[in-house]
Amino acid sequence: MFEGVKSLLGLKSEPPDDHILYRYSIADAPLIERALSRLPDVGVELGLCFTIRSLTEIARTIAEHRSGIQSGELPTSGDWALVALQGACEDARSLFNNVRFYEDGCFDGMKVPDYEEMIADIASTASNHWIVKKVSVAADGDLRNAPAESIRLSVSVSCDPPSMPFEIMAGKHFDWTLIYRLNERLPSNCLKRFAVLLDGNATIVFLSPDEIKNLNALCGYHFFYEEEINIRDITK
């Protein structure tokens, strides 16, 4: 029932073997390099990786990482922008300062410290605007039983200004309502927001609403930062 919503979000199914129109390869590097060069125009901040490696080298690394992936559609210029944004680097955190990318399936078997580290890492993309000292997570059940049981996680963010704890659900699929809860706790004078794109993976950015709008236009996908739909439904 959520196919229309999934289409809006950019969620794509794997193509059947007889409908493969494109296989990514190392030859895609120049297209990825061109896309990388356009990302700062929509507010994406180039990270440490770009100070020690050339744009050409980074594009080649991304192309190598994606080599062999198959698609039932020919990539558009927007698709190349998304490929560049999702990136690949020895240290993914050093590629962009205000972007994080999480591959599907990386949430199975997560423990409380894993949740704390991940949420703190996402919050760190806003470090120039929001001081987060520590993230603490407490589970109301045994996480080894998720998702067979409904287990709630209480998340406390030690930050300036102080904020109230909030809850997300534990399970195979990450509860990306986290993005909304973090936005609610940003300082009142902060003009930027966390936004998420779910396309089978999860890409998080920290940008102003205008920059998010421009990124959506560049990629042709929709990054959400307000509660427009129930994210828990479309990730089931």
Side-chain angles (χ1 to χ4, degrees), residues 67-133:
S67 184
I69 294 177
Q70 302 171 347
S71 175
E73 301 174 357
L74 294 175
T76 65
S77 60
D79 290 325
W80 290 119
L82 187 60
V83 167
L85 189 71
Q86 293 178 339
C89 195
E90 287 80 359
D91 180 0
R93 299 177 186 179
S94 70
L95 195 56
F96 303 113
N97 294 332
N98 57 343
V99 179
R100 292 294 183 268
F101 175 66
Y102 299 96
E103 290 186 321
D104 179 50
C106 72
F107 315 115
D108 294 346
M110 284 184 69
K111 301 177 182 178
V112 164
D114 299 322
Y115 280 101
E116 292 174 336
E117 180 180 355
M118 181 175 174
I119 295 170
D121 184 41
I122 293 171
S124 72
T125 64
S127 60
N128 291 335
H129 304 267
W130 189 33
I131 300 174
V132 173
K133 302 172 184 176

Side-chain angles (χ1 to χ4, degrees), residues 174-187:
F174 195 85
D175 184 356
W176 288 111
T177 59
L178 167 73
I179 297 302
Y180 303 147
R181 304 291 83 82
L182 293 179
N183 282 336
E184 292 167 354
R185 285 155 179 81
L186 289 169

Side-chain angles (χ1 to χ4, degrees), residues 1 8 28 54 80 163 178 191 202 214:
M1 68 182 285
L8 175 64
D28 298 328
S54 71
W80 290 119
S163 66
L178 167 73
L191 302 180
N214 292 336

Side-chain angles (χ1 to χ4, degrees), residues 43-80:
V44 174
E45 300 173 7
L46 304 184
L48 178 63
C49 215
F50 289 89
T51 67
I52 58 178
R53 302 177 66 197
S54 71
L55 201 66
T56 300
E57 290 175 316
I58 292 173
R60 184 177 178 84
T61 298
I62 295 173
E64 290 173 344
H65 179 73
R66 293 189 64 86
S67 184
I69 294 177
Q70 302 171 347
S71 175
E73 301 174 357
L74 294 175
T76 65
S77 60
D79 290 325
W80 290 119

Side-chain angles (χ1 to χ4, degrees), residues 176-177 180 196 198 224 229-236:
W176 288 111
T177 59
Y180 303 147
V196 61
L198 302 173
F224 284 89
I229 61 171
N230 189 339
I231 282 182
R232 287 177 183 155
D233 285 341
I234 58 90
T235 55
K236 288 179 180 178

Side-chain angles (χ1 to χ4, degrees), residues 1-16:
M1 68 182 285
F2 298 107
E3 289 305 313
V5 174
K6 289 181 178 181
S7 176
L8 175 64
L9 286 168
L11 294 172
K12 295 183 179 181
S13 302
E14 287 294 319

